[in-house]
Every structure is written in C-alpha cells, then in structure tokens.
Amino acid sequence: MKNISLNIDKALGTVTKEQVYAQAEKANECNATLQNGNGAGNDFLGWLHLPSSITDAELTDIENTANVLRSKCEVVVAIGIGGSYLGTKAVVEALNNSFDWLHTDRKNPVLVYAGHNIGEDYLYELCEILKGKQFGLINISKSGTTTEPALAFRMLKKQLEDAVGKEEAKHRIVAITDAKRGALRTLADQEGYKTFIIPDNVGGRFSVLTPVGLLPIAVAGISIRDLVAGAVSMEKATDVSVPFAENMAEIYAATRNELYKSGKKVEILANFHPKLHYIAEWWKQLYGESEGKDGKGIFPASVDLTTDLHSMGQWIQDGERTIFETVISVEEPTHKVLVPTDEANLDGLNFLAGKRVDEVNKMAELGTQLAHVDGGVPNLKITMPEVSPYYIGQLFYFFERACGISGYMLGVNPFDQPGVEAYKKNMFALLNKPGYEKESEAIRARL
Ligand SMILES: O=P(O)(O)OC[C@H]1O[C@H](O)[C@H](O)[C@@H](O)[C@@H]1O
C-alpha cells in the first residue's frame, strides 16, 4: 500500500530547503521527546502508540455495540464537542455519501450531532425531527462535565425515555467518558449504560482513534479496522527511528516552524475535495489548541477549493503576505464522471467535452498553486492516493505526530489547553452557577 506523502518544494522561496533541513536535528529531538515521554505534557502521550495498541477484542466490542445501535435505531445522535465531536464528523463526512441523508434504502442509521453548540433552534429542530423515529444516543465527554453535551444529553435522554421507556432507553444509550471521574461516568454507572473509556493519557483533540471516534464511525458503517490500519502504518512511517528526510511528520513540523519564524503567521489548510471540509475543522482544533499559547502559534485557517477561490481567493492572492497554504490533494476520486458534449455549446465548454471532471479540478488545483506561489504564498502539498478509511487514518496520525513535534519545536506544551477555561468561568459566573457567587458579583460589576 502507498502512503500519503508531503512535498514542500513549493514552500521554498520564503524559506530555503537548507533552512528547513537545518532543523532536522531539532525536529528529530522533539520526536524523540515524544517517544521518550520526557517533555511538557508527557502525561498526555497515550495517542502516540494508540493505533498499534488497539486490540482485536476492543475493535470487536466497538463493532458489536455499533451493531446493537444499528439494529435498533433509524437515527443515532453523537453528542459531544471539540475532540469529542470533530474527529467523528471529519471521518463520516469524508467517507459517507455526500447526500447520505437523502438515501432511503439505508444500510446505516442516519448519524446526527448534538452537544457541539448551544443552539436553541438547533436543539428544538433536532428534538422535533426525532419524534416518531427510533433513535439512540452516544454521549461522549472525556471530562464528563462539559456544558454543551451535558445540556443536549439531558434533553435527549428524557425524550428517549419518554418514547421507549427507561429500560429500553438504557440499551440505546452508550456513554464514552473517563474510566472513573466526572458526572457522565457517575450517570452511566447509575443508569447501567454500556460505556467505553477514554484513556486518561489521551487528550480530546487526539482521541479520534479511541472509542470517541471509533464507535460513531462504526455506527455510520465505516470500517474502523481500515481506519486504524492506516494510522498504524503512519505510526511506523513517522517513528523517531525514521530519518528526517523520510519522516514527513518531522519535515512538516520543521517547515511550518521555519515559515512561522519568517513571518508567516497563518496556515491555511486547503482541499480540492468537498468531502474533506471537516478534516480541516478537526485539524484547526488539533493545531490551534496545541500551539496557541504564550502569545505564540501559527493561526490555523481553512478553505475549500475551488469553492472559496470565489470568496477568499482575492485575499489569498493579494492580501497581507503572512500566510502559507497546506493543500491536501487527492490523486483519484472514487467515481468517474465525464463532461458531456453540448451541440449548441452556448456555455463554450465543449473544449472540456470527454474529459473527466477531476481533470478540470486537477488543472484548477495546479493553476491555483502556481498563482498563489507567484503571489508569495508558500505551498505545502499533502497527497492522498484516495479518500478511504485507510488513508484518512494515515492523515489523522500524520497530523497528530507532526503536531506534537511542531509544538515542542515552538517551545510550548502541545497537550494542555488552559485558555479554554476562561470563557467557561465567565459563563458560569453569568449564569449564577452555585459556587461561583464571588465570580458572579465581580463579573456583573464590570458589565
Ligand atoms: O470531551 P470533553 O471533556 O467534553 O471536552 C470536549 C472539549 O472541550 C474542552 O473544553 C477542550 O477545549 C477540548 O480539548 C475538548 O475536546
């Protein structure tokens, strides 16, 4: 099997290949720090060898649980936010049919999401659409206390129990959370839900290959074994023993840090494949939450191309030269569509007749790369042979490993997220949460 690959040739100009390769030793040292577990945040390194440590029995347990939900439910609601949502969303959107929800001859339940916002209309419309439908719930929260999913679960649990009774509801609810701590663990144990554990040493944004992602992804009918196999292959390909020049995670980390040092403050992850939109949303949390610290860090942004060439193309071509692009390029689409001939040719497109639509897309991709590089936007290119569970698994692990290396090269702890607590404290104070009396008084004084 081929691997995904990284090409930095079009990123060189702002930084030289020599500058990038001069970072080889540091990148390898940072990779070794991950491997040896002696760096900052080293109690959150469970993701590093997670793929190769997943057992057949664990995968079978997940598949069996998914099959129970698949047999009982027309709709399964995956409840979670951040790392407890984005990995699943990214994989399912990448691998499901683009119009899955319109398919009536279904082999899989419709997977919908909740707990990833505090949208009153969203929750209302979800509860309404679930009325009269056979549905199940997967409640995912590592801490077990995050407000958004807890709020959604409180509402959906009641609706499910009202619809099918408490006893049956128990068999349609799965909780994925901490082994011992948190409100969700307490609730799940009291109610007798099937539970899966999120390992203590795997942070939320690195948890897609734990049951956090694997269970809902299996419910969607996607092969979690192929997903994990791809991640295992990339775990090997980015190991500290792999020399820098062949280690795409180290090269990516070194290149982006050199570009950052040269003044490129924003990285735009771009795709020319519509199904990869949510891969970028997952990637933004992974890199934003890992590197945005101590007043430092590349800002992770994303665009879908060619779609956003008609909205953001002007800025990328002519705006402030503080950006670089990392483009995910898919070699082969899954399907084949040819451009038809049109006798009248009023649209003037007969010059494309007989060509594959993807040939047009590939020339747009090449033309865009040349234009942006000419405009002073360094371009890195990640090539995926195809969009499949295996290569999505490779991509996830590649980005995770590179993120750990890059964060250490930047000089931050890539595995904590202290900044996320600030809004929560204010929100609880404004909502008069018990125990926040002093904070409530203080915050009202400043309004
Ligand atoms: O899985 P949970 O504990 O509910 O956390 C969900 C998310 O919220 C936290 O505030 C962090 O920002 C994320 O890293 C995490 O993935």
Side-chain angles (χ1 to χ4, degrees):
M1 295 279 270
K2 290 166 70 173
N3 277 357
I4 63 172
S5 60
L6 171 68
N7 184 312
I8 65 167
D9 291 350
K10 296 294 183 188
L12 306 173
T14 312
V15 296
T16 63
K17 188 164 185 173
E18 290 67 33
Q19 278 176 285
V20 172
Y21 276 63
Q23 295 303 313
E25 190 179 341
K26 184 174 179 187
N28 188 256
E29 274 167 18
C30 292
N31 200 2
T33 303
L34 291 174
Q35 184 78 18
N36 305 330
N38 52 16
N42 58 0
D43 42 356
F44 286 100
L45 291 173
W47 59 273
L48 196 67
H49 298 301
L50 173 66
S52 56
S53 63
I54 296 172
T55 65
D56 181 67
E58 285 166 338
L59 290 172
T60 303
D61 186 14
I62 290 168
E63 288 164 341
N64 291 343
T65 305
N67 287 336
V68 168
L69 289 173
R70 289 156 58 85
S71 67
K72 288 176 173 286
C73 308
E74 298 169 87
V75 182
V76 172
V77 187
I79 303 169
I81 196 168
S84 295
Y85 156 64
L86 286 168
T88 298
K89 183 73 173 177
V91 173
V92 172
E93 292 299 307
L95 295 166
N96 255 4
N97 183 292
S98 305
F99 306 97
D100 179 67
W101 74 87
L102 283 176
H103 282 228
T104 48
D105 57 335
R106 303 195 60 81
K107 291 191 294 291
N108 309 303
V110 177
L111 191 63
V112 296
Y113 302 87
H116 57 308
N117 58 48
I118 312 178
E120 188 165 359
D121 287 342
Y122 183 94
L123 278 171
Y124 173 82
E125 289 165 3
L126 175 60
C127 293
E128 284 300 299
I129 200 76
L130 290 175
K131 283 176 183 169
K133 285 191 173 58
Q134 298 302 326
F135 70 94
L137 306 173
I138 304 175
N139 192 6
I140 308 163
S141 178
K142 178 173 168 64
S143 63
T145 58
T146 307
T147 303
E148 292 90 337
L151 194 61
F153 182 65
R154 169 181 283 212
M155 295 171 62
L156 292 167
K157 168 179 178 282
K158 184 177 183 316
Q159 182 166 337
L160 182 59
E161 288 175 347
D162 291 349
V164 301
K166 208 168 168 62
E167 186 52 32
E168 173 56 20
K170 198 165 75 173
H171 300 294
R172 300 187 186 197
I173 296 174
V174 181
I176 304 175
T177 188
D178 189 87
K180 298 185 292 296
R181 292 184 299 270
L184 179 52
R185 167 53 61 189
T186 307
L187 175 71
D189 291 350
Q190 275 175 0
E191 300 285 279
Y193 299 149
K194 169 73 176 170
T195 66
F196 288 94
I197 291 169
I198 306 173
D200 267 355
N201 61 357
V202 178
R205 56 188 175 275
F206 289 86
S207 66
V208 62
L209 296 172
T210 71
V212 164
L214 297 183
L215 179 63
I217 290 165
V219 166
I222 293 163
S223 166
I224 58 175
R225 291 177 187 269
D226 289 350
L227 188 74
V228 170
V232 169
S233 67
M234 192 47 63
E235 182 185 333
K236 294 191 183 87
T238 57
D239 185 83
V240 66
S241 60
V242 177
F244 178 81
E246 297 150 42
N247 195 318
M248 63 187 287
E250 292 183 5
I251 293 174
Y252 178 54
T255 305
R256 60 197 304 278
N257 275 281
E258 284 306 294
L259 286 166
Y260 179 57
K261 284 191 274 187
S262 77
K264 302 298 182 185
K265 303 295 183 190
V266 177
E267 178 178 13
I268 300 175
L269 188 67
N271 69 74
F272 281 81
H273 194 299
K275 288 186 172 184
L276 299 185
H277 171 84
Y278 277 94
I279 294 285
E281 295 306 305
W282 169 85
W283 171 87
K284 287 192 285 193
Q285 179 194 4
L286 180 65
Y287 279 79
E289 210 167 50
S290 298
E291 293 196 320
K293 289 153 190 174
D294 311 336
K296 299 190 284 191
I298 295 167
F299 184 81
S302 64
V303 290
D304 299 321
L305 303 182
T306 60
T307 308
D308 293 336
L309 290 175
H310 301 268
S311 61
M312 292 299 291
Q314 172 57 41
W315 202 107
I316 295 171
Q317 191 67 46
D318 294 339
E320 189 177 273
R321 300 301 74 185
T322 51
I323 60 175
F324 69 96
E325 283 177 311
T326 298
V327 179
I328 301 176
S329 178
V330 176
E331 279 179 329
E332 268 304 313
T334 308
H335 307 290
K336 186 170 186 173
V337 177
L338 300 180
V339 178
T341 303
D342 180 290
E343 211 171 287
N345 194 29
L346 295 177
D347 58 14
L349 291 183
N350 273 353
F351 74 99
L352 298 178
K355 290 184 185 299
R356 283 188 64 174
V357 169
D358 190 57
E359 183 179 343
V360 182
N361 197 33
K362 286 289 189 301
M363 291 306 106
E365 180 179 328
L366 179 57
T368 302
Q369 181 195 59
L370 294 171
H372 289 177
V373 170
D374 289 350
V377 181
N379 257 236
L380 288 77
K381 182 174 175 181
I382 296 166
T383 300
M384 283 178 81
E386 61 183 1
V387 179
S388 66
Y390 183 85
Y391 288 117
I392 293 287
Q394 285 204 339
L395 191 66
F396 273 133
Y397 191 86
F398 156 69
F399 275 136
E400 288 177 357
R401 186 88 178 223
C403 187
I405 298 166
S406 182
Y408 278 159
M409 292 187 79
L410 181 65
V412 300
N413 171 359
F415 306 114
D416 64 357
Q417 54 282 334
V420 183
E421 297 314 310
Y423 96 89
K424 296 180 187 178
K425 185 168 67 66
N426 289 347
M427 177 178 71
F428 292 145
L430 290 165
L431 289 169
N432 300 314
K433 180 174 181 179
Y436 282 76
E437 289 72 15
K438 276 213 319 309
E439 289 84 350
S440 296
E441 193 180 334
I443 203 164
R444 295 208 186 300
R446 57 183 286 198
L447 297 181

